DNA sequence: CTAAGATTGAGGATCATTCTCAAAAAGGTC
DNA sequence: GACCTTTTTGAGAATGATCCTCAATCTTAG
């Protein structure tokens, strides 16, 4: 539980400029979402966000998540559960990572792969072109298992 | 496009016995779904299945996909797109694989990782326990890019 | 301060998926 | 083959996460 308290100025500035590129403002609601994800340090679903900040309106939250996603500030994860899951974009946190997903409760935690593994993943991305003309650009790795709480 | 024509007897028998474990029959509709996925050789969404076999009723198809998933005959993928995606369970095809996902059209193709990469993935699964008490049991790897059609 | 434009939020609309239930089909038994 | 029991089917309704609408409110520029 890496509970961080304040969004660094540098991150703040980057978010401002990415939103500005799309002609969007960094409003109070949007700041709340970014600050919450920063503080939590792991991907969150919409119900989690609404619970964490009762002042958020559901429709505005959804809309702002989409705006922040389009601005490449947030990234939407694909999950097994019924809810989508958002995290800060990797290039904002400077922390390339993958996910540990609990099969029991669905919680998602971050996980850093070994340099060896990352190197091979990069290689796999480069080589995938051989298969049926597919050009790979990126990779996504999840480890599935059981979290500390559910054991 | 690896279009295979007939489901092997061995696969057929395995499906029968897995359904039997749950007290379920291998009905005509369920055979259609399995045969279709076998013939197609890649994960398919529900609309794709309905288009491939106009005789399928939507509600029955959804229900049978769930039954086949519970029997561990099929596996449901998580995707970015609006539709879920199903494939034959890995241990039925005897073919451990990952996925190439086209960011443009969403099509999913199979992809076999190198032995080196698989070895490191297995190692990562084993080591993940160190992180916050998480016990990993399995891994999921997707390569994201552009398919042959969309280029 | 004011006008123009962006954002908000309550509620409604959408749509993939699941559920309901009456009709049809499949087994088992004689 | 006919009969009974249980499962499966499929058309349509219900559910629920997400997205849209629009009048009210807030921001920013001038």
């Amino acid at each position: 539980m890496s509970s961080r308290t304040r969004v660094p100025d540098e991150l703040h500035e980057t978010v401002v400029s990415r939103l500005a590129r799309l002609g969007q403002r960094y409003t109070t609601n949007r700041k709340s979402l970014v600050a919450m994800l920063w503080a939590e340090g792991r991907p969150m679903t919409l119900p989690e966000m609404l619970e964490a900040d009762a002042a958020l309106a559901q429709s505005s939250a959804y809309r702002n998540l989409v705006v922040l996603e389009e601005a490449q500030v947030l990234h939407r994860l694909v999950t097994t559960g019924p809810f989508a899951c958002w995290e800060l974009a990797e290039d904002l946190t400077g922390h390339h990572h993958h996910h540990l997903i609990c099969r029991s409760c669905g919680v998602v935690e971050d996980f850093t792969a070994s340099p060896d593994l990352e190197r091979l993943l990069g290689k796999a991305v480069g080589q995938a072109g051989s298969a049926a003309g597919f050009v790979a650009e990126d990779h996504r790795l999840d480890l599935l298992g059981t979290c500390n709480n559910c054991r």
Side-chain angles (χ1 to χ4, degrees), chain A:
Chain A
M1 196 71 59
S2 61
S3 236
R4 292 166 291 193
T5 44
R6 216 178 81 85
V7 175
D9 290 347
E10 191 195 337
L11 173 55
H12 184 89
E13 291 310 320
T14 310
V15 174
V16 169
S17 85
R18 291 198 183 182
L19 282 167
R21 273 202 309 240
L22 303 183
Q24 299 277 0
R25 300 172 185 161
Y26 197 18
T27 64
T28 308
N29 277 342
R30 293 172 189 172
K31 281 179 198 160
S32 292
L33 293 171
V34 169
M36 182 183 301
L37 286 165
W38 170 261
E40 192 71 16
R42 65 174 178 84
M44 295 177 79
T45 63
L46 190 96
E48 285 171 343
M49 295 186 208
L50 294 183
E51 192 179 6
D53 181 353
L56 285 178
Q58 188 185 61
S59 61
S60 300
Y62 270 116
R63 183 169 0 82
N64 284 324
L65 288 168
V66 170
V67 169
L68 289 165
E69 192 185 4
E70 285 169 349
Q72 315 222 44
V73 171
L74 300 187
H75 180 228
R76 188 194 301 232
L77 307 187
V78 299
T79 66
T80 312
F83 299 104
C85 210
W86 280 269
E87 67 183 352
L88 291 173
E90 278 197 343
D91 63 341
L92 284 183
T93 59
H95 172 219
H96 174 60
H97 66 276
H98 300 286
H99 295 116
L100 301 166
I101 303 176
C102 178
R103 276 182 169 135
S104 170
C105 70
V107 73
V108 181
E109 295 174 28
D110 290 355
F111 145 73
T112 304
S114 72
D116 275 0
L117 181 52
E118 282 297 339
R119 191 171 38 73
L120 281 179
L121 287 172
K123 208 168 143 193
V125 167
Q127 290 176 343
S130 53
F134 198 98
V135 177
E137 292 142 15
D138 206 353
H139 64 269
R140 181 164 71 194
L141 172 65
D142 301 323
L143 299 188
L144 309 167
T146 314
C147 76
N148 201 22
N149 260 350
C150 290
R151 263 185 309 116

